[in-house]
Amino acid sequence: MDDRLLLEQYLHSGSDTAFAELIKRYQDLVYSAALRQVRDPHLASDVAQTVFLCVARKAGALLQEQVLAGWLCRATRFESLKVLRERRRRADRDLAFACDAQGGEPASGVRLEDAITPELDAALDALRPRDRDALVLRFLQSKSLREIATALGVSEDAAQKRLERAMDRLRAQLRRRGLPVSAAA
């Protein structure tokens, strides 16, 4: 069955089977095109999903296309550029917030914490459990070093060292996400 018939089936009868067949035919093409442009497998997967959602929304208009593969490649390029542009803007905004934070609250009125919270949460999630536990106890629950040591079952010196190492790993995670983090921050 050709692409046009699958699109017609999906459009007129809401056939999930027809749509699934289109995805099966083109998922490798769309994913590889996205990966070439965004160079991040997770981001490429997000781009591919968005492109196929666009196919679902625009199925009627796509019946007019000569070659669906060409449209998919173009849509993938546009979506990839959009995602990269948003990522760059977010990184620039976070950098500006971080710079403003060194002198107080950002000029825009948005707090630094609000700007980096999603990235911070993702970076915390990426840490090993023992590092994450130490940081959560210290900075999210405001526990003293003695309380942290007790909770972790280690000496105060060991808890202090664990916190220092966890902070270093957290900074590294944030840098990987495009957020410049000073030692003071």
Side-chain angles (χ1 to χ4, degrees), residues 134-180:
L135 292 172
V136 166
L137 289 168
R138 176 70 181 112
F139 297 105
L140 299 181
Q141 292 187 312
S142 302
K143 300 287 185 184
S144 70
L145 194 55
R146 176 175 284 139
E147 292 171 311
I148 294 169
T150 302
L152 298 177
V154 297
S155 69
E156 285 187 45
D157 288 338
Q160 178 65 39
K161 196 65 173 168
R162 188 172 293 175
L163 278 168
E164 290 170 8
R165 289 182 180 148
M167 282 300 297
D168 289 342
R169 290 182 182 111
L170 180 62
R171 281 188 203 100
Q173 283 290 332
L174 290 170
R175 279 190 205 102
R176 278 187 223 122
R177 287 171 166 65
L179 295 173

Side-chain angles (χ1 to χ4, degrees), residues 82-162:
K82 178 182 161 191
V83 165
L84 290 173
R85 191 171 42 248
E86 289 170 357
R87 182 182 249 195
R88 190 173 29 257
R89 285 179 184 158
R90 184 172 48 249
D92 291 347
R93 190 172 48 243
D94 290 343
L95 176 60
F97 288 152
C99 291
D100 289 342
Q102 292 178 358
E105 289 295 312
S108 66
V110 177
R111 296 180 348 193
L112 175 63
E113 295 85 10
D114 294 338
I116 66 168
T117 295
E119 293 297 328
L120 181 59
D121 288 340
L124 272 172
D125 268 351
L127 293 176
R128 296 183 309 194
R130 59 188 246 170
D131 291 336
R132 183 175 44 250
D133 293 344
L135 292 172
V136 166
L137 289 168
R138 176 70 181 112
F139 297 105
L140 299 181
Q141 292 187 312
S142 302
K143 300 287 185 184
S144 70
L145 194 55
R146 176 175 284 139
E147 292 171 311
I148 294 169
T150 302
L152 298 177
V154 297
S155 69
E156 285 187 45
D157 288 338
Q160 178 65 39
K161 196 65 173 168
R162 188 172 293 175

